[in-house]
Amino acid sequence: MTGIGTSPPRPDGFAKASGAAVYADDLVRPGMWFGATVRSPHAHARLDGVRFAAERAPEGAVCLTAADLPGPNGILLIDDEWPILAAGTVRHVGEPVALVAAPSRLGALQAAAAVEAEYTPLPAVLTLEEAAAQATAQPTTQTTAHATPPATARPLLAECSLACGDVEAALAAATAVVEGTWSTGHQEHIYIECNAATAWVEDDGTVVVHGSMQCPYYVHKALVHALGAAPERVRVQASVVGGGFGGKEDFPSVIGVHAALLARAAGRPVRLAYDRHEDIVGTTKRHPAVVRHRTAVAADGTLLALDIDVTFDGGAYRTLSPVVLSRAVLHAFGPYRCPNVRIHGRVLATHTAPNSAFRGFGAPQTQFAMERQMDAVARRLGLDPLEVRRRNVVRPGDRLPTGQVLGESTAAEACLERAAARTGFQERWRALEREREGRADDSADGAPRRGIGLSLYFHGAGFTGSGERRMQSPVGARLLADGRVEVLTATTDMGQGCVAVFPQIAAAAGSLADDDVTFAPPDTARVPDSGPTVASRTTMIVGGTIARAVAGLSRRVVDWWQGEHGAGWQLADGTLRHPGGDAVPFRQAAREFLAAGGEGALEVRHRPPDWQEFDDATHQGSAYPVYAWGCDVVEVEVDPDTWAVRPTAVTAVCEVGRALHPTLCAGQIEGGTLQAVGWALTEEVKLDGGRYLNDRLATYIIPTARDAPRVSVELLEQPYEGGPFGAKGIGELPMDGGAPAVCQAVENATGIAVTAIPATPERLFAWAEGDRRREEVA
Amino acid sequence: MTAAPGGTAADAPRTLADACRRLGDDPNLVPVAGGTDLMVSDRLERSAVAGVLDLTRIPELTGVREVAGGLEIGAATPFAVLRSHPAVCRRFPALAAAAAVVGGWQIQSRATLGGNLVNASPAGDSLPVLLALEAVVVAAGPAGEREIPCAAFHVGYRKTALVPGELVARIRLPDPSPGSRQLFRKVGTREAQAISKVVVAAVGRVGGEGREGGVVESLRLAAGSVAATPVRLRAAEAAAVGKPWSPETARTRLAEEVGRAARGEVTPIDDVRSTAVYRAATLERVVRRLILDLGSPE
Amino acid sequence: MNVRFVVNGEEREAEGAPLERLLDVLREQLALTGTKEGCGEGECGACTVLLDGEPALSCLVPLAQCAGRDVRTVEGVAALPAGRRIVERLVAAGGVQCGACTPGIVVTAFALFERDPAPTRQALADALAGNLCRCTGYEGIFRALTDDAEQPTVSPARPGAPAVGEAE
């Protein structure tokens, strides 16, 4: 059984697990050379010159600098201010200043070592605090990569605001005003497969890039811009993708352009594959954030006003920061009702690697802050974490601060109540509060300190605001000569499992058998631009469009068949049946349809719901057509000697509309939750003078199988009429909930107010010492 | 592995004497056993190494052997062997415990005790255990064999007492006095596959009735990741030996004092894994815990 | 140097500097690209192979030590009935997402199952501690290879509402 709601094995699973799948670094082209990237050792410097000492490089090796670029020196995303290669100025450690290619990997490294770059170091802005100080001291200046950039940093990369009601009046009138400042750090994606791409030039001049990516048409757009090539002379093929998490949303445009430039210069295929050190130093990360809250509350815990200031560290270039900030602001108020809300968000530049897309896209940072703020409100008012959320949780019909009125598929309360009931949260939390309060300060017993925490969260599915309306992204479907339906999308499977879910949708929507449907590989020469594989849009938006396309095509065949053979035929599971007893395989009918001159190709565009309107300037309206909802309960043990936090169990109750493939759907929740737990506890990018101290997996610490708590997932269903078979997008949802729940649990266990993550043992120790000293003084 | 189809397997030395001779003839040879530290280098660096001395095919260098008063462990014995070796588990449980947390399974199948010594990282997990057991390193070189007490082996940050041309042949572990207890605690960056932030080993004995009260008759404490080399914590030992131990005194005074003494004699630093203040405080607390455990029922 | 050794039961020959990594030899000279590089320094386990039957990280094994050794890669493991069963269980239970870590997990799990055909969750976690996975949270891997893991459930958000999905 492979229908909707069942969990057939993913079709790529065997090839992946047995080593047969071809990833970007596995593709061998005849005569292929290897590339390498020469990177800045400085956080901020004038680039005085780059010289290639060819005599020290392998014979024939090529070297490219900004001076050799055929077109504009910019990676085209929202804009093109991210340079392909540094020109005049370097703005972060690891910024590419030159590219080389040579016949072997070793030769490429030797060629890179033969590049001599001269720099004059300049003062650097390395932290959000320094950037904030500079932002207030200087007016906004913006530059493009083409002009000679000024030596100063450009402080403001993006800004946006959202407001409703009268915040000042509510703050003035409130029983209590609770203030909090919550910080989150960088996070590295650590997809297990590092970024890689291979490029070559076909005889007709077409530039082909084959690589690990989420968005083939982003790479295509960047190549057309950078090479000055005609769109039809650029072809992008996604390989099997070894993990993305947003890290392969925009960065493949960089490595793809680099590989293409080298292939042109070398006159042969060139593979550019990063090692882990280079991938950490040179690619994007999650934005570090500082979020300040002032919350007005009534005595019973009802939220009266939220005043929120969001500051993100954008790194050296704008990349996708404006849209990340937008999503961050649109989730900063959490799944709660509040009549008076004011949110101001900024992304500031620093001389560090650009920060950009990472699962959650800004929402995890602002929801971490909101959830911790709710905990602070609860403590102030003597409520427990469940109660304060119960009093404010949004329900169908409620209005968000954007003015959006929530529809039927609003299930925050169901998630909250189900998670609380499953875990006995309230009793357990109170019991552990009493246990902590009754405990002598000394840790002589050595017993772990136990704690439990809860978080409530939501995540908008699809592009923010008018994004989907602007794109109206198309999906193609066509009949093959053998009568099967081929579906054409640019969606890539980075592990999430659209290779399994799309066929389920297609077969069910078209009333076809599983093997009546096949999918074209994501190759821009074959598939339309169905949009990027991002923003929790794959199942809901692209999947929904696939459903309409396949249904439309199969209806076309059925209609024709009935025209030829009379009415009354029903198509089910790939067979046309007549009540009289006749049965004809769909494929046969389709072949006859084609032979009779029937039009076997169809393109269908995504149609956002008519009611969804959004003003991108004021952030008013329906930012997303629908949200997925979740509630996490996390239990932890804190070692009283070492302050090490061990999460022991997580219960995640998530409302997903409809679980089309429960195993893969739960897999997103399980994996995303552990990624959030890692972000909360151990994952930290450590910089010194802009230089990476932990650009290795030995020192950037993600959870192992021994660190992973049991993750128990319950999927709730409240079907959404705008998604295929009721499904919503859920890929990013789990990233929002893990961290605040972990921190509340640590607070429950230790009494330490966790205001920043990662909550490393070193930080917990420092906070505990601070608390102890304050008590001694008092 | 003896039925080597290739010609080059036969090129690897089969005896310690042969290995030493070759190293004497060509001081540029790079000795390699498990390779788990050596191979963490980039392609350019690795390509510059012209010759290696494979230490994995020398029977004298691998395995655990009974000697008078203890065990000898071949330097090229991997941790996976030590972790489950019956005599090691029974007589040197602290070493077995350390062997079980050196990286994951794949690392343990290749990484060797001798390699841990020679790599000379202050964070080497087995090194405090060897110090606390007062192990003896037997080095072999052009001039024959010599014995180096473990405490004299690490002479500075990532520096050993070996002279050019010398290899570690084996490590001798003297049996601790009867009735003594061995304790090991690693504080890593995560639950497994981690490098130590603080690592501590203790070998000691509480005489008399442990549960009701006795005296700390002997104690050897050592720690890693808290100084430029793994260190014996002699002031902490002195603070404990001869002192009465009971669950009550341990909790109230003794453990506190020993922990404080330990903290006072180390010089941890801030680095990518942790901070100096955290390391000092954690060492104090871990030592305190080990003192509490020393006399407690097992 | 030139080295002969056995890979997946066949005698093979490789050429390279003494410290050439077995990983590169397998991928670049023997076209066995199932063995993946995730970190190049022995932290992630994606390049795990069996070296004389023991799980080892091919990024840390120098060519100079390979002569005469028996190497089994994921391609060889998956071709054996016991290896194939591990692969199928991982795929069925959601233990495979992006797949970049999976070959290493298959090889390590194969070695574990040879020694312990029914590992506990703790034993599997211990054995796989050197194999990092970033997609699954490991729960799907525990589900595939032990009988002690969480099973996701599906239920209607509104009590009493008809269930639209089928539970597993």
Side-chain angles (χ1 to χ4, degrees):
Chain A
M1 226 352 244
T2 58
I4 299 297
T6 69
S7 296
R10 53 184 304 147
D12 61 356
F14 193 87
K16 281 177 169 178
S18 62
V22 178
Y23 291 79
D25 194 28
D26 300 338
L27 181 80
V28 176
R29 299 283 304 180
M32 183 174 78
W33 278 18
F34 295 86
T37 310
V38 179
R39 296 176 182 280
S40 166
H42 299 285
H44 190 204
R46 200 172 69 221
L47 179 58
D48 296 317
V50 183
R51 198 182 81 84
F52 181 48
E55 66 283 2
R56 289 197 278 114
E59 199 178 336
V62 297
C63 175
L64 296 173
T65 68
D68 304 312
L69 298 176
N73 186 5
I75 300 293
L76 182 57
L77 298 164
I78 297 172
D79 57 33
D80 75 342
E81 67 112 52
W82 194 0
I84 298 169
L85 290 168
T89 304
V90 291
R91 292 197 183 83
H92 67 91
V93 170
E95 179 162 8
V97 299
L99 300 165
V100 295
S104 68
R105 284 185 198 258
L106 180 62
L109 295 177
Q110 289 163 337
V115 174
E116 296 158 358
E118 287 179 21
Y119 304 91
T120 303
L122 298 168
V125 175
L126 297 170
T127 64
L128 201 44
E129 292 68 32
E130 291 170 32
Q134 199 184 70
T136 47
Q138 285 186 12
T140 303
T141 59
Q142 293 197 351
T143 65
T144 67
H146 320 303
T148 306
T152 54
R154 304 128 312 139
L156 192 63
L157 294 178
E159 187 168 24
C160 77
S161 308
L162 163 63
C164 72
D166 187 340
V167 170
E168 287 304 330
L171 284 167
T175 313
V177 174
V178 180
E179 299 197 13
T181 299
W182 314 99
S183 309
T184 61
H186 278 108
Q187 186 178 25
E188 256 297 328
H189 304 87
I190 314 291
Y191 28 67
I192 298 299
E193 178 213 33
C194 292
N195 271 286
T198 301
W200 62 93
V201 184
E202 301 280 4
D203 291 342
D204 67 357
T206 301
V207 173
V208 186
V209 170
H210 173 274
S212 184
M213 63 185 72
Q214 297 176 221
C215 316
Y217 273 97
Y218 280 9
V219 179
H220 187 270
K221 180 171 86 168
L223 285 164
V224 167
H225 185 69
L227 302 176
E232 64 276 14
R233 285 282 166 266
V234 171
R235 178 173 183 180
V236 178
Q237 302 171 326
S239 60
V240 176
V241 181
F245 316 115
K248 292 171 185 170
E249 176 167 351
D250 54 12
F251 197 82
S253 298
V254 177
I255 195 170
V257 166
H258 286 178
L261 290 166
L262 284 172
R264 273 192 169 181
R268 51 181 72 239
V270 174
R271 185 199 294 169
L272 195 50
Y274 290 172
D275 66 13
R276 182 61 63 181
H277 150 83
E278 190 171 23
D279 200 287
I280 292 182
V281 167
T283 74
T284 58
K285 289 150 194 53
R286 184 185 300 286
H287 295 78
V290 175
V291 183
R292 293 193 172 79
H293 274 256
R294 280 198 305 159
T295 307
V297 279
D300 68 352
T302 304
L303 295 177
L304 301 175
L306 297 172
D307 187 17
I308 306 172
D309 179 71
V310 178
T311 314
F312 276 21
D313 176 350
Y317 298 103
R318 190 173 295 115
T319 65
L320 301 173
S321 284
V323 264
V324 173
L325 181 67
S326 190
R327 190 178 276 270
V329 163
L330 288 163
H331 289 77
F333 42 80
Y336 303 109
R337 279 187 311 272
C338 185
N340 305 293
V341 175
R342 179 170 64 201
I343 307 170
H344 179 228
R346 292 177 302 163
V347 180
L348 304 179
T350 59
H351 292 110
T352 62
N355 298 312
S356 189
F358 194 143
R359 192 181 211 163
F361 215 68
Q365 293 95 313
T366 52
Q367 290 196 75
F368 171 78
M370 184 64 202
E371 284 301 279
R372 298 275 45 226
Q373 181 72 11
M374 291 297 278
D375 294 340
V377 166
R379 282 215 180 272
R380 167 76 74 89
L381 300 177
L383 298 171
D384 68 57
L386 176 62
E387 203 50 46
V388 75
R389 287 169 174 80
R390 271 183 178 151
R391 292 188 187 177
N392 295 287
V393 61
V394 286
R395 301 189 177 90
D398 281 342
R399 188 178 290 272
L400 295 180
T402 51
Q404 178 169 9
V405 177
L406 291 169
E408 279 305 296
S409 189
T410 297
E413 189 172 29
C415 294
L416 181 68
E417 295 301 341
R418 185 79 192 117
R422 265 183 76 135
T423 57
F425 175 80
Q426 206 163 31
E427 297 69 32
R428 180 99 175 120
W429 186 85
R430 286 177 179 162
L432 292 174
E433 283 286 301
R434 283 194 299 274
E435 187 175 307
R436 188 192 72 241
E437 284 158 5
R439 189 162 52 214
D441 182 38
D442 114 291
S443 61
D445 61 13
R449 298 345 192 182
R450 292 171 305 167
I452 191 167
L454 173 147
S455 67
L456 187 63
Y457 52 94
F458 72 140
H459 204 91
F463 261 38
T464 298
S466 315
E468 298 292 352
R469 188 174 303 283
R470 268 197 302 276
M471 290 196 296
Q472 296 190 28
S473 43
V475 162
R478 65 188 190 106
L479 293 172
L480 301 176
D482 64 5
R484 287 182 304 158
V485 174
E486 184 184 54
V487 181
L488 304 111
T489 82
T491 301
T492 69
D493 195 313
M494 57 192 125
Q496 82 279 34
C498 62
V499 291
V501 174
F502 280 178
Q504 284 180 299
I505 292 173
S511 305
L512 301 174
D514 297 333
D515 56 4
D516 289 337
V517 186
T518 180
F519 280 74
D523 173 344
T524 59
R526 298 195 53 191
V527 300
D529 182 4
S530 58
T533 314
V534 304
S536 304
R537 68 186 294 279
T538 294
T539 297
M540 188 175 97
I541 306 274
V542 183
T545 315
I546 288 172
R548 287 172 45 227
V550 176
L553 197 54
S554 85
R555 198 178 317 116
R556 203 182 269 179
V557 172
V558 173
D559 288 350
W560 174 81
W561 182 264
Q562 302 206 99
E564 297 291 310
H565 302 278
W569 295 81
Q570 293 287 331
L571 177 62
D573 293 329
T575 303
L576 276 158
R577 290 177 201 280
H578 195 271
D582 287 350
V584 177
F586 172 81
R587 288 195 216 177
Q588 185 189 327
R591 285 196 299 269
E592 291 181 25
F593 167 76
L594 288 175
E599 173 53 56
L602 177 66
E603 194 168 272
V604 170
R605 287 183 168 271
H606 170 64
R607 269 201 324 256
D610 293 335
W611 52 262
Q612 192 202 347
E613 287 180 357
F614 188 74
D615 183 332
D616 291 308
T618 61
H619 278 61
Q620 287 297 308
S622 297
Y624 307 93
V626 75
Y627 300 82
W629 312 89
C631 181
D632 285 355
V633 175
V634 176
E635 296 207 43
V636 302
E637 292 182 355
V638 184
D639 185 309
D641 291 335
T642 67
W643 295 107
V645 178
R646 197 167 73 86
T648 55
V650 180
T651 299
V653 178
C654 295
E655 193 280 315
V656 300
R658 179 97 189 262
L660 303 182
H661 186 300
T663 295
L664 287 170
C665 186
Q668 287 298 294
I669 309 298
E670 291 161 348
T673 299
L674 188 63
Q675 223 166 31
V677 167
W679 184 48
L681 291 175
T682 59
E683 297 185 30
E684 186 171 23
V685 171
K686 299 178 181 179
L687 292 160
D688 179 21
R691 194 175 59 85
Y692 291 84
L693 299 179
N694 58 337
D695 55 343
R696 306 164 52 189
L697 290 190
T699 46
Y700 184 85
I701 305 298
I702 69 167
T704 70
R706 284 276 307 277
D707 298 274
R710 281 175 181 275
V711 181
S712 176
V713 172
E714 177 163 351
L715 301 171
L716 298 186
E717 298 189 311
Q718 175 65 49
Y720 164 55
E721 70 283 359
F725 305 97
K728 303 178 190 174
I730 55 96
E732 296 169 283
L733 176 72
M735 194 70 221
D736 295 334
V742 164
C743 293
Q744 191 195 94
V746 171
E747 193 168 313
N748 183 226
T750 64
I752 295 170
V754 179
T755 56
I757 55 171
T760 59
E762 286 76 8
R763 264 198 175 135
L764 292 173
F765 165 73
W767 284 327
E769 285 291 287
D771 289 349
R772 199 176 54 75
R773 290 210 192 93
R774 274 193 293 280
E775 279 165 24
E776 280 174 6
V777 170
Chain B
M1 113 180 163
T2 46
T8 49
D11 293 349
R14 302 295 168 143
T15 66
L16 180 56
D18 185 22
C20 289
R21 193 166 41 248
R22 292 192 201 194
L23 197 56
D25 292 347
D26 181 358
N28 290 325
L29 280 182
V30 176
V32 49
T36 53
D37 289 309
L38 176 70
M39 292 295 285
V40 183
S41 53
D42 73 26
R43 209 180 270 254
L44 273 177
E45 291 165 0
R46 281 183 284 107
S47 72
V49 173
V52 304
L53 188 67
D54 181 4
L55 301 177
T56 60
R57 295 172 205 255
I58 302 171
E60 294 154 81
L61 287 189
T62 53
V64 178
R65 272 174 291 274
E66 193 75 39
V67 294
L71 291 179
E72 276 191 354
I73 295 170
T77 309
F79 285 108
V81 171
L82 299 178
R83 161 179 199 175
S84 56
H85 192 281
V88 174
C89 291
R90 194 174 65 250
R91 285 151 68 181
F92 301 99
L95 182 59
V101 295
V102 178
W105 185 8
Q106 298 95 322
I107 294 286
Q108 290 169 19
S109 12
R110 295 267 303 158
T112 67
L113 186 60
N116 213 214
L117 270 165
V118 173
N119 187 52
S121 160
D125 290 323
S126 71
L127 306 180
V129 177
L130 298 182
L131 280 174
L133 290 169
E134 296 196 326
V136 175
V137 178
V138 180
E145 293 192 350
R146 67 177 177 124
E147 298 191 349
I148 308 167
C150 205
F153 188 78
H154 293 112
V155 296
Y157 178 68
R158 295 219 163 221
K159 283 201 181 73
T160 72
L162 293 179
V163 299
E166 264 188 325
L167 296 166
V168 173
R170 55 196 180 273
I171 295 96
R172 187 183 312 139
L173 302 175
D175 280 319
S177 55
S180 68
R181 185 108 173 244
Q182 298 176 30
L183 301 167
F184 174 78
R185 181 77 198 270
K186 170 174 173 170
V187 181
T189 49
R190 63 187 159 201
E191 290 284 314
Q193 183 84 341
I195 304 176
S196 290
K197 294 174 175 179
V198 172
V199 53
V200 189
V203 179
R205 189 177 53 176
V206 173
E209 301 297 315
R211 186 183 289 275
E212 298 307 323
V215 169
V216 180
E217 294 181 346
S218 69
L219 178 66
R220 298 197 298 260
L221 267 174
S225 279
V226 290
T229 65
V231 285
R232 268 289 283 276
L233 301 172
R234 294 190 187 272
E237 293 171 4
V241 173
K243 301 284 166 55
W245 190 103
S246 73
E248 211 34 55
T249 59
R251 186 161 299 135
T252 52
R253 281 201 319 278
L254 179 65
E256 300 280 349
E257 285 168 16
V258 179
R260 246 195 319 276
R263 182 178 186 153
E265 62 182 314
V266 297
T267 51
I269 57 165
D270 289 342
D271 69 6
V272 68
R273 289 189 300 283
S274 192
T275 62
V277 288
Y278 172 83
R279 285 182 154 122
T282 302
L283 175 72
E284 178 178 342
R285 294 162 82 103
V286 168
V287 166
R288 190 178 70 160
R289 177 80 45 222
L290 296 185
I291 297 301
L292 286 166
D293 290 348
L294 194 64
S296 304
E298 297 200 33
Chain C
M1 65 193 297
N2 186 280
V3 172
R4 279 192 288 157
F5 57 119
V6 174
V7 181
N8 298 332
E10 281 177 45
E11 200 173 308
R12 305 294 293 261
E13 208 170 314
E15 176 75 41
L19 292 189
E20 184 87 9
R21 307 181 300 178
L22 174 58
L23 170 64
D24 297 324
V25 168
L26 292 171
R27 291 178 52 82
E28 295 169 15
Q29 295 188 41
L30 306 182
L32 291 167
T33 54
T35 304
K36 304 299 181 195
E37 174 168 351
C39 70
E41 56 171 18
E43 293 293 330
C44 77
C47 70
T48 302
V49 297
L50 298 180
L51 187 64
D52 290 335
E54 296 287 325
L57 300 165
S58 62
C59 74
L60 298 182
V61 175
L63 180 62
Q65 289 184 328
C66 289
R69 304 280 193 205
D70 182 78
V71 175
R72 195 167 279 276
T73 68
V74 66
E75 289 91 344
V77 167
L80 300 172
R84 191 185 168 94
R85 274 196 296 278
I86 290 168
V87 165
E88 286 169 348
R89 286 166 69 173
L90 283 167
V91 175
V96 180
Q97 287 189 27
C98 87
C101 74
T102 316
I105 285 177
V106 167
V107 173
T108 307
F110 177 84
L112 175 67
F113 276 63
E114 279 190 321
R115 292 152 178 83
D116 178 1
T120 61
R121 185 179 173 108
Q122 181 63 37
L124 184 67
D126 249 352
L128 290 181
N131 290 86
L132 297 177
C133 170
R134 190 59 154 168
C135 292
T136 64
Y138 304 98
E139 199 64 45
I141 297 167
F142 287 124
R143 198 153 52 228
L145 303 178
T146 74
D147 55 12
D148 182 15
E150 301 298 320
Q151 304 292 337
T153 60
V154 183
S155 40
R158 283 196 199 141
V164 286
E166 292 167 43
E168 278 295 79

